[in-house]
């Protein structure tokens, strides 16, 4: 019974990992966090019902 429970937990862990990976926006992996957040806020501001402001401070890291 413990072995079966362990197998189910391992399967559930793998499923959660796959789901969370699939939920990650493509922009985040291609361009990075800053650009993905910037794009998100641009999309939000296209709505007439919502105005969103994003202020990210600090140095922006660039991938080499």
């Amino acid at each position: 019974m413990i072995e079966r429970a362990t197998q189910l937990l391992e399967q559930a862990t793998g499923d959660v990992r796959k789901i969370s990976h699939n939920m990650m926006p493509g922009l985040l992996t291609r361009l990075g966090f800053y650009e993905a957040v910037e794009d998100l806020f641009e999309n939000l501001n296209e709505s007439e019902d919502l105005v969103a402001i994003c202020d990210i401070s600090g140095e922006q890291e660039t991938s080499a």
Side-chain angles (χ1 to χ4, degrees):
M1 197 155 115
I2 292 175
E3 185 177 319
R4 179 66 179 144
T6 301
Q7 290 173 345
L8 289 172
L9 284 172
E10 288 174 359
Q11 181 181 354
T13 301
D15 290 346
V16 168
R17 187 175 290 121
K18 287 178 191 174
I19 291 168
S20 64
H21 181 74
N22 289 337
M23 291 175 61
M24 187 170 50
L27 279 178
L28 185 58
T29 56
R30 286 193 315 269
L31 301 177
F33 178 77
Y34 179 83
E35 287 81 5
V37 170
E38 192 173 58
D39 183 69
L40 173 65
F41 275 79
E42 287 175 6
N43 289 335
L44 286 172
N45 285 326
E46 289 178 2
S47 166
E48 294 179 10
D49 299 329
L50 181 66
V51 174
I53 299 171
C54 177
D55 181 20
I56 300 174
S57 59
E59 292 185 33
Q60 182 179 348
E61 289 186 20
T62 57
S63 56

